[in-house]
C-alpha cells in the first residue's frame, strides 16, 4: 500500500471525542494514531511513547539519586533536571492515552516549571540564593495560574491556547539566551553554555515544533506526519534530557567551587549569568506565536479529514447481511445515502429502495453479526463501487453461453450488434441510438463463469468496469443467479453512483430478464 510522503498542507479541524486511559475517561482531541484503529503506524506510536517514558524516567530517577537529601540548593540543578525528565516522561504517557486533553495540558504546564527553574537559576537578576528562591516561588505561582486557566477555560481550544502560548515562549527564550551567551561570551562562558544550548535547541526543533505540527495533521497518515515527526519526538526527548543531565553537574559544581569576591553561595558567578532575560522572554513569546497562530493561519483548515490509509473498520451494521464481494459497494451506498451522518430507522423507506435491497441477502435487513473489513473510506477512493444480485429465469449454461460470446451483445440493453476488434478481447458496441461504445475484457473465465470488462472509449463512461459472475447457488427459487459489481471513476462530468444504479436496475437488468426469459 502506497503511503504519501507528505499530508495535504492544511490543518485538520480538531474534533472533540472521549479518551479512556487506565480506566479514566475524559473529553479529548486525538493527538496520535493508535493500534486500536489499526493504523499502519499505530504500533510505532505505542512503542515510541512507552520507550520514551521508560528512558526519561530512568534519567530522572538517576539525577535525583545524585542529589543530597534532605534537599539543599547545592544540588538545585540536578533536582531540577531530574524532575524535568520525570514530568516529561509522564507527559509522553498522557499524550499516548489522553491525547490533547485538559490533563495533558496540566502536565504540559508542570513540564514548563523545571524550565522556569532553569531560567531563574541562570538569570543575572538573581544575585543571591534568596532571590533565586523568590524567583522559583514566582515561577511556581505562575504555573499554578496556568493550570487554573486550563481547568477553568470554557472550551478545550481556549485551554490549549492559554497553555501553549506561554509554554512555547520559554522553549524559544531558553535556546535564544543560551546561544547568545555561547556566541558573545568568553571561552569559559562558551564552554559552560555549550550543552544547554545544544539541549534546548534540539528540544525546540525536534520535540516542541514536531509536537505542534503533529496536532495539525491528526488523521492524515503520511511518512512525514505519522513517522518522521513522531520519531523525531521519541529520539530527541531523551537526547535533550541527557545533555541537560550532563550540564547539571557542571552547573552545581560552579556554584560551589567558583570563588569570587563577594559571590554568594549557591548562585552562579556573575560572568556566567544571563543578562536582559526579559528581552529573551518577549522575543520568545513573539516567536512562539508563529507556529501556534501564524502557521495555521497560512495553511488554512482542511475541508474534510478522511483517514485515507486502509484500516480495520466496521463497514456493515448488525442488522444487514450483504452478498459476498458486495462489501465495498455497500459501504459506498452508505456514504452516498449519508446513512451514517443521517441515521435512519430500519423501517425507513430508504431500505426498501431496489438499489439497497439488491445488495442484501434476502433483499431485506436481518439480524446478523457485524463484520470488519480492511477498506478505504469512500471519500478517499478514486472510484465509486456498486453491486446487484440478479435472478434470471434460465439455466446458467444458457446465460453463460450468451454472456461469454464476446461478439454477442443481445444481453446488453440497447445494443444492436457488436464488432470484435483486432485484439480478441476488444469490441465495439453499436446501439439503437446510433452511438458506439468501446470495451475490452480483462477476464473471461469459462470455469469460474466470470467476466470482467472495462469501457475504454473517451467520455463519461470511460473507466467504467463491470464484473459479472454466473453461479448455480442452489437457492430455493429455480433459475440462474448472477452477481454484478461495477466501479465508476470519480471524475468531473462522470456518471454518478445513483444514476448508474438507476440505469442498471430499471433498464439493463430488465433487458437481461427479457432475453433469458423461459
Amino acid at each position: 500500500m502506497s503511503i504519501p510522503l507528505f499530508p495535504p498542507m492544511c490543518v485538520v479541524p480538531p474534533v472533540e471525542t472521549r479518551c479512556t486511559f487506565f480506566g479514566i475517561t475524559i473529553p479529548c482531541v486525538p493527538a496520535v494514531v493508535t493500534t486500536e484503529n489499526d493504523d499502519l503506524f499505530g504500533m510505532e506510536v505505542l512503542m515510541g511513547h512507552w520507550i520514551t517514558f521508560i528512558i526519561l524516567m530512568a534519567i530522572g530517577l538517576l539525577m535525583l539519586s545524585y542529589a543530597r537529601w534532605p534537599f539543599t540548593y547545592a544540588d538545585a540543578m540536578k533536582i531540577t533536571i531530574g524532575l524535568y525528565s520525570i514530568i516529561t516522561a509522564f507527559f509522553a504517557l498522557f499524550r499516548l492515552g489522553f491525547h490533547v486533553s485538559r490533563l495533558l495540558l496540566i502536565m504540559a504546564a508542570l513540564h514548563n516549571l523545571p524550565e522556569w527553574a532553569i531560567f531563574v537559576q541562570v538569570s543575572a537578576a538573581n544575585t543571591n540564593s534568596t532571590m533565586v528562591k523568590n524567583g522559583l516561588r514566582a515561577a511556581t505561582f505562575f504555573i499554578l495560574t496556568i493550570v487554573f486557566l486550563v481547568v477553568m477555560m470554557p472550551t478545550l481550544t481556549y485551554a490549549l491556547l492559554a497553555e501553549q502560548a506561554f509554554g512555547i515562549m520559554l522553549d524559544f527564550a531558553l535556546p535564544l539566551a543560551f546561544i547568545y551567551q555561547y556566541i558573545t561570551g568568553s571561552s569559559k562562558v562558551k564552554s559552560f553554555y555549550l550543552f544547554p544550548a545544544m539541549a534546548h535547541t534540539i528540544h525546540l526543533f525536534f520535540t516542541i515544533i514536531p509536537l505542534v505540527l503533529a496536532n495539525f495533521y491528526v488523521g492524515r497518515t503520511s511518512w512525514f506526519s505519522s513517522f518522521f515527526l513522531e520519531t523525531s519526538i521519541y529520539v530527541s526527548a531523551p537526547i535533550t534530557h541527557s545533555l541537560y543531565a550532563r550540564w547539571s553537574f557542571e552547573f552545581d559544581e560552579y556554584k560551589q567551587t567558583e570563588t569570587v569576591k563577594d559571590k554568594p553561595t549557591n548562585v552562579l558567578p556573575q560572568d556566567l549569568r544571563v543578562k536582559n532575560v526579559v528581552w529573551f522572554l518577549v522575543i520568545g513569546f513573539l516567536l512562539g506565536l508563529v507556529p501556534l497562530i501564524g502557521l495555521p493561519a497560512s495553511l488554512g483548515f482542511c475541508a474534510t479529514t478522511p483517514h485515507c490509509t486502509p484500516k480495520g473498520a466496521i463497514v456493515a451494521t448488525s442488522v444487514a447481511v450483504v452478498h459476498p464481494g458486495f462489501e465495498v459497494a455497500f459501504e459506498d451506498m452508505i456514504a452516498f445515502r449519508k446513512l451514517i451522518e443521517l441515521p435512519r430507522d430500519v423501517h425507513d423507506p430508504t431500505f426498501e429502495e431496489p438499489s439497497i435491497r439488491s445488495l442484501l441477502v434476502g433483499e431485506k435487513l436481518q439480524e446478523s453479526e457485524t463484520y470488519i473489513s480492511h477498506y478505504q473510506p469512500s471519500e478517499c477512493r478514486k472510484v465509486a463501487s456498486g453491486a446487484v444480485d440478479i435472478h434470471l429465469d434460465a439455466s446458467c449454461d444458457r446465460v453463460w453461453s450468451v454472456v461469454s460470446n464476446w461478439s454477442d451483445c443481445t444481453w446488453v440493453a440497447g445494443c444492436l450488434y457488436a464488432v470484435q476488434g483486432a485484439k480478441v478481447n476488444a469490441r465495439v458496441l453499436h446501439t439503437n441510438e446510433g452511438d458506439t461504445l468501446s470495451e475490452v475484457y480483462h477476464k473471461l473465465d469459462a470455469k469460474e463463469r466470470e467476466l470482467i470488462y472495462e469501457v475504454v472509449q473517451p467520455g463519461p463512461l470511460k473507466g467504467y468496469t463491470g464484473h459479472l459472475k454466473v453461479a448455480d447457488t442452489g437457492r430455493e427459487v429455480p433459475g440462474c443467479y448472477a452477481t454484478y459489481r461495477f466501479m465508476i471513476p470519480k471524475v468531473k462530468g462522470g456518471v454518478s453512483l445513483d444514476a448508474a444504479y438507476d440505469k442498471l436496475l430499471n433498464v439493463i437488468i430488465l433487458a437481461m430478464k427479457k432475453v433469458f426469459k423461459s
Side-chain angles (χ1 to χ4, degrees):
M1 173 53 60
S2 177
I3 300 173
L5 180 59
F6 291 99
M9 290 294 109
C10 55
V11 179
V12 176
V15 178
E16 190 166 313
T17 181
R18 299 187 72 80
C19 298
T20 301
F21 194 52
F22 288 127
I24 302 172
T25 301
I26 58 174
C28 68
V29 171
V32 294
V33 297
T34 67
T35 53
E36 292 178 3
N37 60 23
D38 200 28
D39 190 277
L40 294 179
F41 293 102
M43 184 54 67
E44 182 232 354
V45 169
L46 176 66
M47 297 303 296
H49 279 82
W50 275 106
I51 292 173
T52 301
F53 170 78
I54 293 170
I55 294 175
L56 293 180
M57 283 294 294
I59 294 173
L61 294 174
L62 183 64
M63 292 308 303
L64 294 181
S65 73
Y66 279 104
R68 287 162 285 187
W69 298 94
F71 169 76
T72 169
Y73 275 93
D75 296 316
M77 189 56 74
K78 295 187 191 74
I79 295 171
T80 298
I81 300 304
L83 294 176
Y84 189 24
S85 296
I86 291 172
I87 294 172
T88 306
F90 278 100
F91 176 87
L93 203 59
F94 278 34
R95 181 174 182 254
L96 174 66
F98 294 121
H99 297 256
V100 177
S101 60
R102 292 181 194 267
L103 275 181
L104 182 74
L105 296 179
I106 291 172
M107 191 57 62
L110 295 178
H111 158 272
N112 292 138
L113 182 55
E115 294 177 335
W116 276 107
I118 295 171
F119 204 69
V120 167
Q121 292 179 72
V122 301
S123 172
N126 298 316
T127 57
N128 56 61
S129 59
T130 300
M131 296 183 72
V132 171
K133 294 176 185 178
N134 290 337
L136 293 175
R137 293 189 185 102
T140 302
F141 177 79
F142 177 76
I143 292 301
L144 291 176
T145 302
I146 297 298
V147 170
F148 177 79
L149 289 175
V150 167
V151 173
M152 297 304 295
M153 282 292 181
T155 67
L156 185 57
T157 301
Y158 290 147
L160 181 66
L161 288 174
E163 194 288 320
Q164 286 198 331
F166 292 101
I168 203 169
M169 168 183 71
L170 207 55
D171 288 313
F172 274 96
L174 279 171
L176 284 174
F178 295 153
I179 292 172
Y180 178 81
Q181 291 293 99
Y182 180 82
I183 292 174
T184 62
S186 63
S187 59
K188 172 185 173 182
V189 175
K190 290 180 187 293
S191 175
F192 181 74
Y193 279 103
L194 174 62
F195 281 99
M198 291 170 57
H200 223 90
T201 300
I202 291 172
H203 183 62
L204 173 62
F205 288 104
F206 296 97
T207 304
I208 297 302
I209 291 180
L211 279 171
V212 174
L213 292 178
N215 291 338
F216 294 168
Y217 304 123
V218 171
R220 299 282 189 170
T221 299
S222 70
W223 282 105
F224 175 72
S225 59
S226 304
F227 180 78
F228 293 114
L229 288 182
E230 292 295 323
T231 303
S232 173
I233 295 166
Y234 310 145
V235 173
S236 63
I239 293 175
T240 293
H241 290 274
S242 297
L243 292 171
Y244 263 131
R246 163 65 178 77
W247 179 63
S248 68
F249 288 94
E250 186 177 2
F251 185 98
D252 287 337
E253 184 180 355
Y254 259 114
K255 291 191 305 182
Q256 301 305 311
T257 60
E258 184 81 6
T259 56
V260 179
K261 183 179 179 180
D262 299 327
K263 183 189 83 67
T265 58
N266 296 324
V267 179
L268 276 180
Q270 185 174 356
D271 59 335
L272 293 179
R273 298 179 208 153
V274 177
K275 303 176 180 64
N276 302 317
V277 292
V278 174
W279 280 109
F280 288 117
L281 289 174
V282 171
I283 295 172
F285 179 80
L286 295 176
L287 289 176
L289 296 179
V290 174
L292 290 182
I293 298 177
L295 191 56
S298 63
L299 291 175
F301 284 99
C302 305
T304 58
T305 59
H307 193 303
C308 291
T309 298
K311 60 180 182 177
I314 298 174
V315 295
T317 71
S318 60
V319 290
V321 179
V322 299
H323 292 289
F326 284 14
E327 293 88 355
V328 175
F330 182 60
E331 194 274 334
D332 273 6
M333 177 57 72
I334 289 175
F336 184 76
R337 297 290 186 184
K338 299 186 182 297
L339 297 182
I340 294 177
E341 296 90 335
L342 303 172
R344 294 172 171 83
D345 184 84
V346 293
H347 301 295
D348 190 280
T350 301
F351 297 106
E352 296 299 320
E353 293 182 10
S355 58
I356 293 182
R357 291 175 58 189
S358 66
L359 299 170
L360 305 176
V361 172
E363 297 190 351
K364 63 181 180 180
L365 296 171
Q366 54 187 291
E367 293 296 333
S368 70
E369 295 182 359
T370 58
Y371 64 91
I372 295 178
S373 176
H374 286 272
Y375 82 110
Q376 279 188 311
S378 181
E379 64 269 30
C380 300
R381 291 193 292 269
K382 295 181 179 180
V383 296
S385 299
V388 293
D389 187 54
I390 308 169
H391 171 250
L392 300 171
D393 190 16
S395 69
C396 286
D397 289 337
R398 181 188 168 198
V399 172
W400 180 248
S401 67
V402 174
V403 170
S404 61
N405 185 354
W406 196 233
S407 61
D408 185 355
C409 68
T410 55
W411 63 280
V412 179
C415 182
L416 293 177
Y417 61 93
V419 178
Q420 206 157 351
K423 293 184 178 180
V424 68
N425 69 328
R427 71 178 180 182
V428 178
L429 304 181
H430 293 259
T431 71
N432 51 20
E433 295 180 352
D435 298 322
T436 59
L437 191 66
S438 299
E439 297 178 337
V440 296
Y441 71 76
H442 300 297
K443 184 177 183 180
L444 187 61
D445 191 326
K447 182 178 180 180
E448 297 292 332
R449 291 179 173 176
E450 189 174 11
L451 168 66
I452 300 176
Y453 66 93
E454 179 184 356
V455 175
V456 294
Q457 181 171 303
L461 282 174
K462 184 179 181 181
Y464 176 97
T465 302
H467 183 178
L468 182 70
K469 188 168 185 178
V470 177
D472 291 304
T473 61
R475 302 187 197 182
E476 294 180 0
V477 180
C480 183
Y481 287 86
T483 58
Y484 183 78
R485 287 176 280 171
F486 62 91
M487 291 188 296
I488 313 169
K490 295 179 180 178
V491 294
K492 187 175 181 180
V495 178
S496 70
L497 187 62
D498 209 23
Y501 266 113
D502 181 63
K503 184 171 183 179
L504 186 63
L505 294 169
N506 298 316
V507 179
I508 297 175
I509 293 179
L510 292 180
M512 288 181 68
K513 287 181 178 292
K514 289 181 180 179
V515 171
F516 296 110
K517 188 175 182 180
S518 299

